[in-house]
Amino acid sequence: MSDDQYSLKVYISDESLTALKEYGYRLCIAKEVNGKYNVVFQGVSKLLFQNTFQFEDYYRVFGTNKFADGALIDASTKKYPIMGGQKITLSSAGVFSPTSGSVNPEAGFTVHNQYIEPIHFGVDAFVGNEYSSIYVAEKPVLSGDVFLTPKKKFLVWFEQDLETDMMISRAITNSIRLDFTNASDITINYTAPKDAPAKGVWSYGPLVVLGQTYHPETNTFSLTPAILPTAELVQLTKLLQLEPPSQRGGHLAITNGGCSGQELNRWFRARLRAYRILYGIGQLVQVTSRFDRSLDK
């Protein structure tokens, strides 16, 4: 993988995958430009348990006559390749000149706009083996310089009635924000109740695929996701704020979210003990006992 490439893996639990497809949800990805996420970079319905997206920092710039929420982008000019740090000119006739300037992947790029009619500037980026749009300025501009700064930051969520290259101007709910500034690979996963597929939980890391086998050599059981209390786990995740894995250790950092340390301690300890009573077997007992001891520290 080159320095310009970075990869996202999205895991979806089986129950969630079935419900999401039944209700017509797409996995939506948006990329930040000028501090906004206003175009569906990818709107994917052909989803599986593991879904991989490969990004590269190659861009194209274009002009369009309108920005409209829920509409597909319709470029009004030719789309011209450009890289970070470079400059390009749109003439008074609406024609792009060749780019100039040295490439700086960490920087944005500049459009010298000589076109005297109102126009919205947009940006494409490379994903997989093709370009897809990531941004359109919501307000038109007249002649003058326009600065466009794509970032290695993404918004990921599930939604109906959205598709690739569609413009959006409203807030997105139940999403996860990802930052590739100092990372080349990020893995996330999604689990939701079957009757509310868009109200699930996003987490970092792959989904754990659990069996249902007793291991006599270690006196442990592997449990299936079906026997775990989904509502409790959703509530727990809301109470906990999971930070992305660190560059050093690769472990998730766990902090208490909207509750005090004592409140989280009592809530978590009570549920750990309840789980031991319900499933008081092998590995779960060992894990919860270790967590109990960590709560006392």
Side-chain angles (χ1 to χ4, degrees), residues 177-238:
R177 292 177 183 264
L178 306 175
D179 189 345
F180 284 90
T181 303
N182 297 307
S184 59
D185 298 277
I186 293 179
T187 299
I188 58 176
N189 68 78
Y190 184 79
T191 303
K194 62 181 180 180
D195 57 343
K199 296 183 178 180
V201 174
W202 289 103
S203 303
Y204 286 91
L207 277 170
V208 177
V209 182
L210 300 173
Q212 42 190 336
T213 306
Y214 174 67
H215 310 284
E217 68 279 5
T218 57
N219 189 32
T220 61
F221 278 80
S222 299
L223 306 177
T224 61
I227 73 171
L228 297 177
T230 302
E232 293 286 0
L233 293 180
V234 171
Q235 186 177 358
L236 171 61
T237 306
K238 290 179 180 179

